[in-house]
Amino acid sequence: MKKLLSLTLAVILVFCLFPVSISASAASTLTLNADSAELFTISESDSDVLTIPDDVNQSFTFKVIGTDSNVSWSVTSGYTVNIDSNGTVTPVYEIWYNKGNISSTSPIDGYTSTTKKPKLGESVVEASVDGVKLSAKVVTKDYALYYAQKVMNKFAEEKLTDDLTTAELLDAICSFPAQYDYSPYYSGYVGMIVHGGGDCWASTSAINYLCALKGLKYHTRYAADDPFAGSGHRNTAVIVDGEVYVLEAGYTDTAPRYYNVNKLTGGFSYTISGNNARIYMYDGDSTVVNIPETIDGYTVTTVGDSLVYYNQLYAGVYTTEVSIPSTVTSIEPFALSDIEKLENIFVDDNNTVYKDVDGVVYSKDGKTLELFPNGKSGDYAVEPTVEKIGDYAFYYSKKLTSVKLPQGVKTIGEGAFGDCSMLTSVELPDTLTTISRFAFYNTESLAEITIPRSVTEIDDYAFNNSSVIIKGYKDSYAQSFAESNNLTFEALNPIVIGDSDLDGEVTIRDVTAIQKHLAKITVLSDDGEKSADVDADGNVSISDATMIQRKLAGLINKFPAEQ
């Protein structure tokens, strides 16, 4: 009996000194009754008209199988659900504070009404038991969204059958949102279906969903430029067998509303004036856009603003090349702005208003640079015939790094170099007189610019980069502009007539510098050329070198350029 008691005490002592832990094989026997759960919830505004059925999960209880120990439950990420001590998960709601159409999750003065909305998305819950951690995913979903999609799926199954022609299919798709009233309060298909009405954005979203179900190629279309459309109007463009159709069901009225399917010739939208057409949007899927001379019997004379911009934005079609026909007499300022991959704009040789030089658009007489493709990169030298840089000519050319303007340029138009974010250098000629408003707006990389004496007008809004350094001559217009606009001004050394090598004095070395320049052994700087033109004929020639020699010999007192 004593031996048995001693053995028992010894076993107890061993267990006390060396606690027993659960083996890996034992831990592996612990499991959850589910690896994931899906909960449906609904916002307060939708619950007034839509009820979640009893057979749809609004909560779920997790259990650990393989132990009777107490379980500690927690939410470790996502935090779209709560979990109680019994392992039951329920959706998390948050209060939104509203003022008109603006909402915030934090209370703000003036935000008087409140709305309870569920937090949607994925969370991870964790069970801790017997030194083991087990986790599962929980996804909270909007029942209103589920319900709306269920309605459209049923419609597609019943109405969008495979035996329909293209015209019949698109008409049937367009008819779906037309069965709901117009309402300015709901801009998505969920609100439209649940509450019985929505705006043009709601109609478009429903059409897009049904197009996706049928495997059609579609995109939301910016429609504010359409005749009689409102400023925020949207509809859907669908491409079938290379043809582009516009599906429109956003008209104001009560159900059944008017709807329309319009086939676009060549993918272009246009307006007419007499026998002339203004093309204002392209919704096709080609990256090379060839504008036609005529469309549906009308002569195309105008290329409208934002021709391909919204196709780039909404459809992801990045235009690389545009061709302008002979009939076009007007290209609006923003027609091809902010088209990041556009490298060439070609103009028909028979066009009487425009021409292109290596894909850059100039006026036919070569005096105005009209349009520079945004996709061109690096350095660019403007053609020597140019007298004006047109309004918004280089606008949004974000790959452009430097530009050299030739002698003869007098005017830089409005917004000409606006938003050229990589532009670091612009060489201005001493024939320039006017720099218009927004000319260098948002040219963030332009650290400095030299403004010649010839400039007599700079709009106050020409620059908005407060760190740009204005270089110019003392008492020049450039100095007064810089000072009045709180910009840093750096004075240049004045030009000495005849000092072609810019060493500060007129000597026989200046004659040699001119001779080397004419022989193309070396090249005079711009200021050197200005100094060397002592006879003031606009050119550096051997007569300038001869005249410097004559003055050095005392044969003349002043150069013509000094008189």
Side-chain angles (χ1 to χ4, degrees):
M1 183 67 181
K2 289 182 179 180
K3 289 183 179 181
L4 180 60
L5 181 60
S6 298
L7 180 60
T8 302
L9 291 173
V11 170
I12 293 172
L13 181 61
V14 168
F15 270 82
C16 291
L17 292 175
F18 304 101
V20 176
S21 60
I22 297 176
S23 67
S25 59
S28 65
T29 63
L30 299 181
T31 59
L32 291 174
N33 60 328
D35 294 329
S36 62
E38 186 177 77
L39 306 184
F40 283 94
T41 182
I42 195 167
S43 67
E44 187 177 53
S45 58
D46 292 333
S47 64
D48 293 340
V49 293
L50 184 65
T51 302
I52 301 177
D54 293 337
D55 59 349
V56 174
N57 282 344
Q58 298 182 62
S59 65
F60 184 82
T61 300
F62 286 101
K63 295 183 180 299
V64 177
I65 300 171
T67 182
D68 293 327
S69 302
N70 290 331
V71 180
S72 176
W73 297 95
S74 63
V75 180
T76 59
S77 68
Y79 305 102
T80 60
V81 295
N82 292 316
I83 189 165
D84 64 16
S85 59
N86 296 318
T88 300
V89 287
T90 52
V92 169
Y93 290 84
E94 56 187 356
I95 301 299
W96 285 74
Y97 300 86
N98 310 308
K99 182 180 181 181
N101 292 326
I102 305 173
S103 300
S104 170
T105 55
S106 300
I108 301 175
D109 289 343
Y111 286 53
T112 55
S113 65
T114 58
T115 305
K116 189 171 75 169
K117 295 181 180 181
K119 296 183 71 173
L120 304 175
E122 182 179 293
S123 295
V124 175
V125 297
E126 186 176 86
S128 297
V129 57
D130 296 335
V132 176
K133 295 183 183 297
L134 303 171
S135 62
K137 294 180 180 179
V138 183
V139 178
T140 53
K141 294 185 174 182
D142 181 7
Y143 180 74
L145 172 64
Y146 169 80
Y147 172 81
Q149 291 181 347
K150 187 176 179 180
V151 169
M152 288 189 289
N153 291 345
K154 182 180 179 181
F155 175 86
E157 183 180 351
E158 295 177 353
K159 303 294 184 181
L160 308 183
T161 54
D162 293 338
D163 60 336
L164 298 179
T165 65
T166 295
E168 290 170 340
L169 174 63
L170 299 181
D171 185 86
I173 290 173
C174 215
S175 72
F176 176 80
Q179 65 184 310
Y180 296 95
D181 292 341
Y182 178 85
S183 169
Y185 301 108
Y186 301 100
S187 295
Y189 62 69
V190 174
M192 181 178 70
I193 294 170
V194 170
H195 294 271
D199 61 10
C200 62
W201 288 53
S203 295
T204 298
S205 66
I207 290 171
N208 289 352
Y209 182 88
L210 293 171
C211 285
L213 281 183
K214 299 303 295 183
L216 298 176
K217 188 174 186 178
Y218 71 92
H219 63 266
T220 296
R221 180 176 175 275
Y222 178 83
D225 291 337
D226 290 350
F228 310 112
S231 60
H233 192 55
R234 299 292 185 270
N235 50 32
T236 299
V238 181
I239 301 176
V240 182
D241 297 329
E243 300 288 352
V244 183
Y245 302 83
V246 173
L247 277 60
E248 174 67 79
Y251 299 100
T252 60
D253 211 339
T254 55
R257 288 184 289 154
Y258 175 75
Y259 64 88
N260 182 50
V261 178
N262 180 34
K263 183 178 178 180
L264 302 181
T265 301
F268 293 102
S269 298
Y270 63 92
T271 55
I272 58 173
S273 177
N275 291 321
N276 297 329
R278 170 186 176 268
I279 285 182
Y280 64 88
M281 190 172 296
Y282 174 72
D283 282 294
D285 55 3
S286 177
T287 59
V288 176
V289 177
N290 297 311
I291 298 172
E293 292 188 347
T294 61
I295 187 165
D296 297 336
Y298 299 98
T299 301
V300 176
T301 58
T302 303
V303 181
D305 285 338
S306 303
L307 177 72
V308 294
Y309 173 74
Y310 292 106
N311 207 27
Q312 172 183 281
L313 182 64
Y314 289 116
V317 177
Y318 290 87
T319 303
T320 60
E321 180 182 307
V322 173
S323 292
I324 308 293
S326 61
T327 55
V328 167
T329 57
S330 175
I331 302 174
E332 294 178 359
F334 302 105
L336 297 171
S337 292
D338 202 9
I339 312 304
E340 58 186 80
K341 295 186 179 180
L342 180 62
E343 295 188 355
N344 290 294
I345 306 169
F346 296 120
V347 180
D348 189 283
D349 290 340
N350 294 319
N351 192 296
T352 60
V353 178
Y354 302 104
K355 68 177 182 179
D356 80 89
V357 179
D358 297 327
V360 179
V361 181
Y362 289 83
S363 59
K364 192 69 173 183
D365 59 11
K367 292 183 178 181
T368 302
L369 191 156
E370 301 280 1
L371 192 55
F372 186 84
N374 296 152
K376 285 188 181 292
S377 61
D379 307 332
Y380 185 70
V382 175
E383 291 295 298
T385 57
V386 169
E387 297 179 2
K388 179 182 178 180
I389 306 301
D391 292 348
Y392 299 95
F394 289 87
Y395 189 55
Y396 264 102
S397 292
K398 295 185 177 182
K399 300 176 182 178
L400 188 68
T401 54
S402 74
V403 176
K404 182 177 181 180
L405 305 186
Q407 293 293 321
V409 171
K410 299 174 183 177
T411 303
I412 296 176
E414 179 176 308
F417 295 99
D419 282 285
C420 294
S421 56
M422 297 298 292
L423 186 63
T424 59
S425 172
V426 181
E427 189 173 321
L428 306 181
D430 59 10
T431 54
L432 184 67
T433 61
T434 303
I435 301 176
S436 305
R437 65 176 184 167
F438 311 130
F440 294 97
Y441 202 81
N442 285 349
T443 50
E444 301 167 354
S445 299
L446 190 66
E448 61 182 44
I449 188 169
T450 299
I451 298 178
R453 290 181 186 275
S454 56
V455 172
T456 56
E457 181 181 354
I458 306 175
D459 190 275
D460 285 343
Y461 296 99
F463 299 87
N464 73 322
N465 178 6
S466 60
S467 64
V468 67
I469 298 171
I470 304 295
K471 292 187 174 183
Y473 294 99
K474 187 178 180 182
D475 299 325
S476 66
Y477 185 86
Q479 181 177 3
S480 62
F481 169 79
E483 291 174 351
S484 64
N485 286 275
N486 297 316
L487 299 175
T488 301
F489 178 77
E490 288 188 5
L492 301 171
N493 292 326
I495 293 175
V496 177
I497 302 300
D499 180 22
S500 57
D501 65 359
L502 302 179
D503 66 353
E505 57 182 345
V506 180
T507 66
I508 196 65
R509 292 190 298 273
D510 298 304
V511 175
T512 302
I514 292 174
Q515 292 171 334
K516 287 184 175 180
H517 175 77
L518 295 174
K520 297 184 179 180
I521 298 172
T522 58
V523 178
L524 294 175
S525 67
D526 286 347
D527 283 345
E529 286 194 56
K530 295 171 188 175
S531 298
D533 183 21
V534 295
D535 62 4
D537 67 352
N539 297 297
V540 177
S541 65
I542 196 64
S543 68
D544 295 305
T546 302
M547 194 168 287
I548 292 174
Q549 289 175 313
R550 293 184 68 198
K551 185 175 182 183
L552 291 173
L555 299 177
I556 59 174
N557 294 322
K558 280 189 175 183
F559 297 123
E562 294 177 305
Q563 297 175 7

